[in-house]
Amino acid sequence: MLEWKESPVLIAGGDAELLIARHFYFGVAFNAGIPMYIGQMYDYDWFMNTNICQSRSISPEKLTELYYTDFDFGYKIDLTSSLSLIPLVGVSYKYINFYADDQPLVYADEDRYDSNIISWDSPEAEAHPGSWISYWRSTLLFWIGTSVNYSVNNKISFNCSFKIAPYISATSEDNHPKTGRPIIDENGNEFFLCTSRHYLQDLPTGCFNAFNLMLSSQIRLSKMLSLNLKIEGFYLGLITGPTYTSSESGILGGEESSLYIGDTQKDLTFSLGFKINLF
């Protein structure tokens, strides 16, 4: 099991909204993460079909790439002069890429391959430098939802939107460029076998188990300029699917019939920005 902590992540981006004939709504947003160390990555391995966790590693985690793109389409319904409702359909594409390095400390079962099964925290287990791990995932989500807009006056307004994904499809890949039990050469030097040409590729899917909630406020500073404050939560429940192995990155290999994976994700985003009214 791989657990990647994304805290904190600095993101820069923008969005645009267009209202045609006072009712037909179109919105697009693009955000990119700033590469940086963002926390720690945890890797756990269990022995076969048991509840014995044989190894655990904790590694400094670096975000190398993050891109989020959103498209929304809707129809604006004016309920009152200050309150409006926009039923929405949309699609989102999310891409993240992590790397865990800097000689993470691994606790490994010294008898992993014999009949003596022990856990990583056993006094008999070994501790030594271990694996480096790279991981990326792209996720495509199709949304339905609604957005509610309320104007207090001509200077202050609030917005709340909620979306649920009827269908989610993801592709992920992880690779352990340096992994396994260290090898001791004739001079007593410790090194690892390189397994950089062994990739695990996952294709999980899901239905109605991803949600997005956004709350925002807008303060008009002038006729063309407004200040925007926003908090947004994204939750991806467990999506599952098959695992494949390949000797090349990005090329789907043979299916691992004994493996079945699951992915989840939780994001909480705070943002501050300015809105420019072009017309």
Side-chain angles (χ1 to χ4, degrees):
M1 182 183 74
L2 297 178
E3 182 179 6
W4 301 84
K5 300 287 188 179
E6 303 175 62
S7 179
V9 177
L10 299 180
I11 296 175
D15 57 76
E17 297 177 316
L18 180 64
L19 194 63
I20 301 175
R22 299 185 61 183
H23 291 287
F24 296 96
Y25 171 84
F26 173 73
V28 59
F30 176 79
N31 294 281
I34 299 175
M36 60 184 294
Y37 281 97
I38 57 173
Q40 292 183 316
M41 186 280 302
Y42 297 81
D43 183 13
Y44 302 89
D45 291 312
W46 280 266
F47 181 80
M48 302 299 286
N49 295 318
T50 71
N51 61 353
I52 300 177
C53 182
Q54 284 198 297
S55 65
R56 184 194 73 170
S57 65
I58 303 175
S59 314
E61 172 192 348
K62 184 177 183 179
L63 175 71
T64 55
E65 293 177 282
L66 183 150
Y67 303 110
Y68 287 176
T69 304
D70 304 284
F71 297 92
D72 288 317
F73 308 89
Y75 185 83
K76 183 180 179 184
I77 303 171
D78 294 313
L79 302 178
T80 68
S81 60
S82 59
L83 183 65
S84 63
L85 176 70
I86 305 179
L88 296 168
V89 295
V91 61
S92 296
Y93 176 77
K94 300 178 182 290
Y95 177 82
I96 53 176
N97 193 325
F98 301 109
Y99 191 75
D101 59 6
D102 197 25
Q103 296 285 335
L105 186 63
V106 174
Y107 298 85
D109 179 0
E110 64 177 354
D111 296 305
R112 182 169 185 166
Y113 301 108
D114 65 20
S115 59
N116 183 22
I117 305 171
I118 59 177
S119 64
W120 66 268
D121 55 353
S122 169
E124 301 176 29
E126 297 176 336
H128 51 73
S131 60
W132 294 4
I133 302 174
S134 63
Y135 174 87
W136 63 262
R137 182 175 73 204
S138 62
T139 308
L140 186 66
L141 304 103
F142 297 91
W143 299 107
I144 56 174
T146 186
S147 175
V148 178
N149 301 277
Y150 176 71
S151 297
V152 178
N153 50 47
N154 61 353
K155 289 187 176 296
I156 301 175
S157 62
F158 297 94
N159 172 266
C160 175
S161 70
F162 176 78
K163 296 185 290 186
I164 183 172
Y167 182 73
I168 310 105
S169 176
T171 301
S172 63
E173 178 182 280
D174 72 81
N175 176 35
H176 295 229
K178 188 185 78 171
T179 189
R181 187 187 298 266
I183 305 299
I184 309 298
D185 64 17
E186 63 275 9
N187 298 319
N189 299 315
E190 182 179 87
F191 67 95
F192 287 78
L193 292 176
C194 180
T195 59
S196 60
R197 295 187 61 82
H198 179 75
Y199 299 87
L200 290 177
Q201 301 153 337
D202 306 322
L203 298 177
T205 58
C207 297
F208 290 101
N209 57 343
F211 309 93
N212 195 90
L213 176 65
M214 187 270 292
L215 303 172
S216 68
S217 63
Q218 179 177 303
I219 302 173
R220 183 182 289 267
L221 303 177
S222 67
K223 184 178 179 180
M224 293 187 61
L225 188 65
S226 300
L227 176 67
N228 278 18
L229 304 172
K230 180 169 68 174
I231 178 172
E232 184 172 4
F234 168 72
Y235 174 77
L236 173 63
L238 182 65
I239 56 176
T240 59
T243 294
Y244 301 81
T245 59
S246 175
S247 60
E248 295 185 56
S249 177
I251 304 299
L252 195 64
E255 182 175 355
E256 291 285 341
S257 59
S258 62
L259 298 177
Y260 202 70
I261 59 89
D263 283 350
T264 65
Q265 182 177 345
K266 291 177 283 186
D267 291 345
L268 182 63
T269 306
F270 300 90
S271 62
L272 172 66
F274 292 93
K275 178 179 181 181
I276 301 175
N277 301 299
L278 300 178
F279 49 83

